[in-house]
Amino acid sequence: MYTSFNYPIKRIIGGRTFNTEVSTEIAGFDSHDEHFGYSNKTALFKTRKGAYFLGSFQEYHEDEPLSIIPLTPERAKI
């Protein structure tokens, strides 16, 4: 069962600001690796200016567990 994305991430990429706290969460999913016990959470967001991005929390990634991936509007609809 998916629960909302509760990981604050703010990044500036290519001169655009992507912030999970002020953007609209559109959809998301949780995944869990039973074998290793790791959890991942990914959500699709839309900024106030209409840019789309994925916000991701990866429990197993110690250096940078939070990430942002900008998406084109076409890619966000797939």
Side-chain angles (χ1 to χ4, degrees), residues 11-38:
R11 302 278 190 279
I12 298 173
I13 302 170
R16 299 180 99 172
T17 301
F18 299 92
N19 185 339
T20 60
E21 292 186 302
V22 297
S23 297
T24 301
E25 184 175 345
I26 298 170
F29 67 92
D30 295 324
S31 62
H32 183 75
D33 185 310
E34 298 280 334
H35 181 73
F36 293 106
Y38 296 131

